[in-house]
């Protein structure tokens, strides 16, 4: 499930300056011994992912009031610093659920309608090569049914990794190609939709998206380790180093401006879990908007079968359904799962992109997520 620019990086990245913030030798999570149930099972799965090649892995689990963290491997291959569940990482397309939440809050406040067209808020922006913003609704953006092409596979996006992209430039790339289908008649995963959603948030509120994230989500939920950088490729604190194929450590090589409201947030496993628990148990949206978010359609995205709603997906496990979103950004991959009652959660993240389509790794990842959510 390619969520953010996981397929191609230009050779320009090889020459990009890679800065390395010091990662303290923080206390890694205690490795559970035999007989400790879920933690031991999850530890075994996390260790297997490292054996498969991932430099490091974090798995957070919740069972009711009990939260546990399991780590394996390293957060920084250069120093050998162990993986630590408190470290920051790029949550990539998990950002989409934050973006959708803000849009749905604005709908609940009657400041926009999900049936508004893109042209209603961004007149003329989507109009080239048969793309028509007058026929695409906000709902279709959030549900990935607009028919717009994804801008991220275009080699220009990564030809200069440190470049600061403007949202309008990303939309222009996407609309160089004709739409894949008439709006509302198909489904394709496109980061373009969520760049437009972020632009609409700013047009409606007259505030930067980061300001709306902060006052509507980060501050009320006390997400103290969550931030929304737009152009700065650095991290505001100790972080997980991310690795991309032969390019090595790309943690601070790529401007988040190429992701923005489709994938730009930096966070921790605990903050991500706190947000999802609040959202899916109804603390952030009224019932009507929760129904909109949870109105799903079955999709197959890069071989992963799920039910996609408005910025959130429903995933079937042996123990029932989970809600969440996954995300990938060069060097980072994250999978999130929360039960509808919030009593069961699993967050899995690791810091290497090259196993995205490795069959052995993906099979072991599936076992890890099943154990973490259901075990």
């Amino acid at each position: 499930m390619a969520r953010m620019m996981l397929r191609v990086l230009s050779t320009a990245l090889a020459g990009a300056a890679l800065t390395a913030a010091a990662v303290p030798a923080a206390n890694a999570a205690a490795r559970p011994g035999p007989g400790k149930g879920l933690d031991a099972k999850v530890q075994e799965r996390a260790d297997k992912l490292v054996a498969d090649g991932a430099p490091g892995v974090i798995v957070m689990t919740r069972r009711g009031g009990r939260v546990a963290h399991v780590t394996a491997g390293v957060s920084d291959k250069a120093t050998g610093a162990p993986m630590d569940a408190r470290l920051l990482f790029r949550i990539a397309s998990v950002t989409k659920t934050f973006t959708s939440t803000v849009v749905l809050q604005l709908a609940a406040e009657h400041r926009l309608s999900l049936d508004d067209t893109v042209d209603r808020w961004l007149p003329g922006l989507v109009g080239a090569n048969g793309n028509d913003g007058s026929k695409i609704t906000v709902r279709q953006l959030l549900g990935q049914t607009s028919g717009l092409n994804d801008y991220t596979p275009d080699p220009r996006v990564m030809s200069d990794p440190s470049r600061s992209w403007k949202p309008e430039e990303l939309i222009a790339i996407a609309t160089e190609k004709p739409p894949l289908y008439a709006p509302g008649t198909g489904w394709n995963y496109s980061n373009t939709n969520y760049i437009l959603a972020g632009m609409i948030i700013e047009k409606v509120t007259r505030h930067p998206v980061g300001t709306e994230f902060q006052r509507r989500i980060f501050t009320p939920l006390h997400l103290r380790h969550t931030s929304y950088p737009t152009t700065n490729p650095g991290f505001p604190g100790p972080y997980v180093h991310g690795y991309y194929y032969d390019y090595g450590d790309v943690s601070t090589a790529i401007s988040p401006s190429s992701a923005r409201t489709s994938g730009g947030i930096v966070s921790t496993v605990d903050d991500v879990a706190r947000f999802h628990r609040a959202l899916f148990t109804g603390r952030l949206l009224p019932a009507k908007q929760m129904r909109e978010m949870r109105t799903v359609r079955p999709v197959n995205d890069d071989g992963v079968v799920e039910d996609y709603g408005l910025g959130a997906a429903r995933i079937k496990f042996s123990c029932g359904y989970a809600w969440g979103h996954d995300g990938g950004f060069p060097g980072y991959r994250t999978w999130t799962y929360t039960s509808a009652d919030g009593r069961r959660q699993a967050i899995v993240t690791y810091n290497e992109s090259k196993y995205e389509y490795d069959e052995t790794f993906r099979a072991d990842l599936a076992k890890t997520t099943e154990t973490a959510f259901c075990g």
Side-chain angles (χ1 to χ4, degrees):
M1 195 177 292
R3 295 305 199 195
M4 274 300 303
M5 295 177 275
L6 288 176
R7 295 186 178 91
V8 179
L9 275 179
S10 163
T11 53
L13 184 54
L18 303 183
T19 58
V23 177
N27 294 327
R31 298 176 70 84
K36 293 193 176 179
L38 176 63
D39 294 353
K41 294 175 184 177
V42 172
Q43 184 71 63
E44 181 180 355
R45 295 300 187 194
D47 289 342
K48 184 63 170 68
L49 294 180
V50 171
D52 287 344
V57 177
I58 303 170
V59 185
M60 173 268 181
T61 60
R62 173 184 290 277
R63 296 294 185 273
R66 182 182 186 274
V67 174
H69 304 89
V70 162
T71 62
V74 299
S75 64
D76 183 350
K77 293 200 290 188
T79 66
M83 187 60 91
D84 189 311
R86 295 170 293 182
L87 295 176
L88 300 168
F89 60 93
R90 301 192 188 281
I91 72 171
S93 284
V94 178
T95 300
K96 289 181 173 63
T97 312
F98 288 78
T99 301
S100 180
T101 298
V102 172
V103 172
L104 289 166
Q105 287 179 341
L106 292 171
E109 296 162 10
H110 305 291
R111 299 176 69 181
L112 61 75
S113 167
L114 296 183
D115 295 319
D116 286 347
T117 65
V118 171
D119 266 12
R120 162 73 174 80
W121 296 103
L122 306 170
L125 181 63
V126 177
N129 301 305
N131 297 283
D132 189 347
S134 72
K135 297 180 180 178
I136 298 170
T137 67
V138 173
R139 181 184 281 102
Q140 289 165 349
L141 295 179
L142 299 185
Q144 304 280 18
T145 61
S146 71
L148 293 171
N149 284 273
D150 190 3
Y151 65 86
T152 57
D154 191 288
R156 286 170 292 179
V157 177
M158 285 292 103
S159 63
D160 182 2
S162 62
R163 172 177 171 171
S164 292
W165 287 88
K166 295 178 181 179
E168 293 85 356
E169 294 173 322
L170 301 175
I171 301 306
I173 289 175
T175 55
E176 286 177 356
K177 297 179 179 179
L180 297 173
Y181 47 82
T185 65
W187 189 93
N188 67 295
Y189 192 91
S190 176
N191 293 288
T192 307
N193 292 321
Y194 275 77
I195 297 296
L196 288 167
M199 296 175 75
I200 290 171
I201 290 171
E202 293 192 336
K203 195 68 176 287
V204 173
T205 65
R206 300 183 181 180
H207 296 143
V209 171
T211 299
E212 294 300 316
F213 279 156
Q214 190 69 51
R215 77 180 190 87
R216 291 171 176 274
I217 300 175
F218 301 170
T219 296
L221 296 183
H222 306 290
L223 307 185
R224 298 184 179 91
H225 306 292
T226 302
S227 60
Y228 175 68
T230 54
T231 59
N232 185 352
F235 289 80
Y239 61 91
V240 174
H241 288 244
Y243 301 90
Y244 191 92
Y245 294 84
D246 293 336
Y247 297 104
D249 186 346
V250 297
S251 311
T252 57
I254 302 168
S255 171
S257 64
S258 58
R260 295 186 178 265
T261 43
S262 73
I265 287 178
V266 168
S267 192
T268 63
V269 290
D270 284 338
D271 273 12
V272 169
R274 187 175 300 115
F275 163 65
H276 281 176
R277 194 170 189 231
L279 173 62
F280 295 122
T281 58
R283 290 174 53 195
L284 294 178
L285 293 173
K288 179 181 178 180
Q289 281 67 41
M290 282 303 301
R291 286 193 298 272
E292 293 278 11
M293 176 174 275
R294 287 175 162 163
T295 299
V296 298
R297 61 185 294 159
V299 303
N300 187 321
D301 186 9
D302 267 5
V304 175
V305 176
E306 62 185 14
D307 299 321
Y308 202 84
L310 300 187
R314 185 179 66 181
I315 305 95
K316 188 175 183 179
F317 284 95
S318 65
C319 59
Y321 284 103
W323 289 90
H325 209 289
D326 67 293
F329 190 94
Y332 300 91
R333 201 69 168 94
T334 301
W335 307 80
T336 70
Y337 308 103
T338 298
S339 61
D341 62 5
R343 294 185 56 78
R344 188 181 291 266
Q345 286 189 292
I347 311 290
V348 178
T349 188
Y350 49 92
N351 55 341
E352 171 61 81
S353 297
K354 70 181 179 181
Y355 300 106
E356 180 71 13
Y357 300 105
D358 182 276
E359 291 183 5
T360 298
F361 187 88
R362 289 298 291 265
D364 287 333
L365 174 63
K367 293 175 183 177
T368 302
T369 57
E370 167 72 22
T371 299
F373 189 71
C374 292

